[in-house]
Amino acid sequence: FTTFSTLAVEVVRLGQAVVGRDMAEAVRQKIDGVNAGNAADDACGGHAAEPDGDMGGLRQLAEQRLVIARGVLVDELTAGYERLHATMTLRIVRGAADAFRFRLPANFEVTEVRSPQLSRWSVVAADNTLDVKLAEAVRDQVPIEIVATRPGPAPIDWTFPQLEPLDVAGHSAVLGV
């Protein structure tokens, strides 16, 4: 018996959850679906709109972005609190991104957010999401570390808290308790 265990979980959002499927194949299908009928994308080397200083170009680039998230989530359980440590790496496959959103687990309060490009972060209580804003748009990948705490002991019907990246083509995570 060990006090530390891990579980690999892979979820791809293509209208339904797909478990145990090759992430690359699922992403390839998503890219093919997005590119269908998008001749301008091919003509511009994978980017239909380059950021040229005008907000219209940036908006088009953001709308065409394709992001894959990979994470490591470790849940710390004590008699007095539960603390979730998450390290998410968001890889921008196409386009650029300067903001990311995450659905927070119920009853958790975000206490820290760190990233080399971090500008600011905020929690939107109405839909229980964390908004992370970067100092500038990135085109490759960005790591984001999130720490969230829930006071009190774990409930009897405890399940692993879910921190879900939003607006991504797919995500996978390794969980540790």
Side-chain angles (χ1 to χ4, degrees):
F1 181 77
T2 178
T3 58
F4 182 78
S5 63
T6 60
L7 170 66
V9 177
E10 185 171 293
V11 177
V12 177
R13 293 208 169 268
L14 301 173
Q16 63 181 1
V18 179
V19 179
R21 186 172 178 190
D22 180 36
M23 173 76 79
E25 178 59 28
V27 171
R28 192 171 11 268
Q29 288 178 359
K30 178 70 173 178
I31 291 170
D32 290 346
V34 171
N35 284 340
N38 191 356
D41 190 48
D42 292 333
C44 295
H47 304 288
E50 292 297 324
D52 55 5
D54 94 34
M55 292 308 289
L58 286 174
R59 190 174 306 112
Q60 284 180 329
L61 191 58
E63 289 171 359
Q64 295 175 4
R65 79 179 193 174
L66 183 64
V67 179
I68 304 298
R70 293 188 182 261
V72 176
L73 285 74
V74 176
D75 197 34
E76 177 185 348
L77 295 164
T78 71
Y81 64 87
E82 179 177 6
R83 183 170 293 138
L84 180 64
H85 302 266
T87 301
M88 304 296 292
T89 300
L90 296 123
R91 182 170 172 255
I92 294 84
V93 177
R94 185 178 65 212
D98 66 350
F100 299 97
R101 298 181 323 127
F102 301 88
R103 183 165 326 285
L104 298 170
N107 303 318
F108 276 75
E109 177 184 336
V110 176
T111 56
E112 281 183 67
V113 177
R114 291 186 304 267
S115 177
Q117 296 92 346
L118 181 67
S119 172
R120 67 180 177 274
W121 61 272
S122 62
V123 174
V124 179
D127 57 359
N128 201 34
T129 59
L130 169 66
D131 290 345
V132 177
K133 178 78 172 146
L134 303 179
E136 60 184 276
V138 294
R139 289 179 169 260
D140 47 8
Q141 69 179 20
V142 61
I144 298 175
E145 297 176 32
I146 301 164
V147 178
T149 304
R150 184 185 56 76
I156 293 174
D157 60 346
W158 178 88
T159 59
F160 198 95
Q162 294 184 15
L163 179 80
E164 178 186 5
L166 302 173
D167 309 318
V168 297
H171 69 274
S172 65
V174 175
L175 311 179
V177 178

